Amino acid sequence: PLKHNSELFTLTYGALVTQLCKDYENDEEVNKQLDKILLFRISLLFFHFSRGYNIGVRLIEDFLARSSVGRCHDFRETADVIAKVAFKMYLGITPSVTNWSPAGDEFSLILESNPLVDFVELPDNHSNLVYSSLLCGVLRGALEMVQMAVDVRFAQDTLRGDNVTEIRMKFIKRIEENLPVGDE
Amino acid sequence: MAIFSVYVVNKAGGLIYQYDNYVPRAEVEKTFSFPLDLVLKIYDEKLVVSFGQRDGIRVGHAVLSINGVDVNGKYTAEGKDILEYLKDPANYPVSIKFGRPRLSSNEKLMLASMFHSLFAIGSQLSPEVGSSGIEMLETDVFKLHCFQTLTGIKFIVLADPRQSGIDALLRKIYEIYSDFALKNPFYSLEMPIRCELFDQNLKSALEIAEKAGTFGPGS
């Protein structure tokens, strides 16, 4: 998490696009290259927004604009999309969806390791918790934008010595304000 | 084949972005001698022709400029009342440009907000459950295409009825929004979009859509 820096944003994204335009003859090719640089786009978000929630409310649009998922009709569908599409797309891994509550309003995502560790070098111990809570905020913010209030927490974390990393997600309620009209 | 304009409306129905790509303007500039043979009247803070249609100047056309200088509603750029100005023979000969009145920013804001409310009618009128809102509005001179995201933002494109590829273009605009507005640290959600990279990329996308006639799979 870093402070905002407008010059850096312009430099990084602007320079990248300019360079790609020079390297590739047509815009279609440039776009293909930009699509490949998924991690770069995501890292831009992580760079500029210190709170996971602020990243999540923006990441959801990146996700919806680029995947063809429609609206989820229940929490089980949501769990599947998060595990099989979103995690796969952004982190290249597919956590397993397990430990459903009897009411079907709570489930766990089980991962071999903390996903952010693969992409981030943690300089010292207490940063672990920062990155874990970041991911919780991302998921919470993203789902809020599609009218779902959820609670997200790390039940287990390999960074803390547990065997697996377990993210527990609980459905609180549907957000009724400013509900977009019409369902696909 | 043309794409006329793009509107982006936030979840609350507020217009956060508007771009006029191509606006056909039937404008006529003529030199007149005293007395003016057109009857002008004030309508909605603008000076419009109410009688005396001729030479391409039509009833409803507004006074756009006088002697080459754009007017400000019913006043000249210097603040003089135009009707008074035109009553004085000393001001003639005068060159006046007439044309279809341009939509002001406020008018665009109101129309976008009105469309946001109307959008809901699509699903309310629907005989079946779970209908979307209005996806297309068609007149004899243009088609309005609307795409609402799952997060409630609407991307609206007005285009020539024969223009294809608008569905793909709407999704491309969504991508451009997610890249160049949302990842800009100075842009706040739901606020007017004032991001240069967004403007630039949007313009290229419109150019590509117009040339190709289609932006990708689907129409």
Side-chain angles (χ1 to χ4, degrees), chain A residues 2-8 47-50 54, chain B residues 185-186:
Chain A
L2 292 160
K3 291 206 173 111
H4 296 176
N5 186 323
S6 71
E7 284 146 13
L8 197 57
F47 219 27
H48 294 290
F49 299 100
S50 45
N54 290 335
Chain B
F186 294 96

Side-chain angles (χ1 to χ4, degrees), chain A residues 38-184:
Chain A
L38 182 70
L39 195 62
F40 177 80
R41 290 204 322 275
I42 309 319
S43 63
L44 274 178
L45 276 178
F46 277 66
F47 219 27
H48 294 290
F49 299 100
S50 45
R51 283 182 62 213
Y53 177 86
N54 290 335
I55 294 172
V57 300
R58 290 169 170 81
L59 193 66
I60 183 71
E61 310 277 19
D62 184 281
F63 176 65
L64 291 173
R66 288 182 155 80
S67 67
S68 49
V69 298
R71 189 173 291 289
C72 292
H73 295 104
D74 58 38
F75 206 42
R76 282 186 185 269
E77 257 190 86
T78 308
D80 278 346
V81 170
I82 293 173
K84 295 174 187 159
V85 191
F87 264 81
K88 183 100 181 87
M89 193 164 137
Y90 292 108
L91 297 166
I93 54 174
T94 307
S96 51
V97 179
T98 60
N99 293 354
W100 278 98
S101 66
D105 64 346
E106 205 170 348
F107 68 90
S108 292
L109 293 165
I110 310 281
L111 305 105
E112 300 299 299
S113 61
N114 186 312
L116 290 170
V117 174
D118 295 336
F119 297 98
V120 179
E121 261 197 46
L122 303 175
D124 49 47
N125 268 343
H126 62 250
S127 309
N128 301 354
L129 297 173
V130 172
Y131 281 99
S132 295
S133 71
L134 195 92
L135 192 56
C136 294
V138 171
L139 286 164
R140 189 172 56 86
L143 287 172
E144 191 177 299
M145 292 294 107
V146 286
Q147 303 87 43
M148 264 184 270
V150 295
D151 189 63
V152 189
R153 63 185 181 87
F154 270 63
Q156 297 185 74
D157 197 343
T158 52
L159 293 175
R160 284 182 306 203
D162 296 315
N163 286 338
V164 290
T165 291
E166 180 185 356
I167 302 172
R168 193 99 184 116
M169 294 191 65
K170 184 180 167 71
F171 179 83
I172 309 289
K173 62 172 181 153
R174 201 159 149 70
I175 299 170
E176 298 291 330
E177 296 91 43
N178 278 345
L179 208 58
V181 161
D183 260 356
E184 302 311 310

Side-chain angles (χ1 to χ4, degrees), chain B residues 138-190:
Chain B
E138 188 173 349
T139 73
D140 54 351
V141 293
F142 76 94
K143 265 188 192 164
L144 177 154
H145 305 250
C146 180
F147 167 58
Q148 178 172 254
T149 68
L150 293 183
T151 51
I153 304 174
K154 291 184 202 41
F155 295 98
I156 299 164
V157 168
L158 274 65
D160 186 294
R162 296 158 298 174
Q163 180 75 46
S164 63
I166 301 292
D167 271 4
L169 173 64
L170 284 167
R171 273 147 186 81
K172 183 66 187 173
I173 298 176
Y174 189 17
E175 270 181 38
I176 294 171
Y177 166 75
S178 89
D179 280 343
F180 299 104
L182 294 183
K183 294 185 182 77
N184 181 324
F186 294 96
Y187 174 66
S188 313
L189 255 50
E190 303 294 277

Side-chain angles (χ1 to χ4, degrees), chain B residues 70-141:
Chain B
D70 280 354
V71 303
N72 185 6
K74 48 187 179 162
Y75 299 100
T76 65
E78 293 104 41
K80 290 185 222 157
D81 188 285
I82 300 174
L83 282 174
E84 290 301 313
Y85 182 86
L86 292 174
K87 281 188 188 138
D88 186 350
N91 291 321
Y92 287 77
V94 66
S95 168
I96 311 178
K97 193 199 291 186
F98 291 92
R100 187 164 171 265
R102 294 157 194 158
L103 280 175
S104 69
S105 316
N106 265 350
E107 284 167 333
K108 286 175 183 172
L109 261 162
M110 286 190 332
L111 288 169
S113 168
M114 207 181 298
F115 181 77
H116 170 83
S117 308
L118 263 181
F119 177 85
I121 277 185
S123 71
Q124 284 162 15
L125 277 173
S126 172
E128 294 253 356
V129 149
S131 160
S132 71
I134 294 175
E135 289 178 343
M136 174 139 67
L137 192 147
E138 188 173 349
T139 73
D140 54 351
V141 293

Side-chain angles (χ1 to χ4, degrees), chain B residues 12 17 23 38 49 55 68 86 162 209:
Chain B
Y17 187 80
V23 184
L38 297 166
V49 176
D55 294 337
L86 292 174
R162 296 158 298 174

